[in-house]
Amino acid sequence: LDRLATVKTLAQLGATLGREFAYAVLHAVSPWDEATLQRGLHQLVEAEFLYQQGLPPQATYLFKHALIQEEAYASMLRDKRQGLHGRIAEVLETQGVVAASIPELLAHHLTAGGQPAKALPYWKDAGSRAKERAAYAEGCTHLAQALELVEYAPSALRRHLELELQLQLGYCVQAARGYAAPEVAAA
């Protein structure tokens, strides 16, 4: 990755989006023009860092290996990562489809972007949706994440919101791990 210094920043941006990402989202958050972006992506595909499926603007990209994505992500400074997550969250928020269909993705980027108060309702929504489709383990994860951020809620709503999240979490844990699980009693 260091040998491809000209496209390292592009790989880092892609890694911030996740192991798999869409060209349209990458283009929306990138500071480069379309030709430069496509040239850089072509270099990463040629160097076998990424797999490409389809053609831009409908293309999707997948890091060849999770370790490549993790290393590209870890090679950024924390402030830069946080800024990129914030920018990605802005773009995803303007595309209301993502917020409505994949709230956990937006919640993840808001949390990593240093906006926990904005992320909280999306984590709650993601947990509720997972519970509704009987994905209880996933629901537990999302609701636990929401509970970690409940301190950022307005003080007037904090207790009510925490109670609601604990009740939902208790139901998910009970369904996923059984009545006797210690997490049920804790919730």
Side-chain angles (χ1 to χ4, degrees), residues 9-19 21 63 69 72-73 76 80-86 88 105 108-109 112:
T9 308
L10 177 57
Q12 290 171 331
L13 178 58
T16 306
L17 287 167
R19 176 133 190 251
F21 55 91
F63 277 91
Q69 186 246 336
Y73 185 76
M76 286 186 289
K80 183 178 179 184
R81 264 194 311 242
Q82 188 174 20
L84 285 176
H85 280 293
I88 292 166
L105 179 63
H108 164 73
H109 287 296

Side-chain angles (χ1 to χ4, degrees), residues 6 16 19 23 27 31 33 41 58 60 67 74 95 118 181 186:
T6 57
T16 306
R19 176 133 190 251
Y23 175 83
H27 180 53
D33 62 77
L41 287 168
Q58 285 81 28
T60 57
L67 293 174
Q95 298 175 353
K118 285 180 78 174

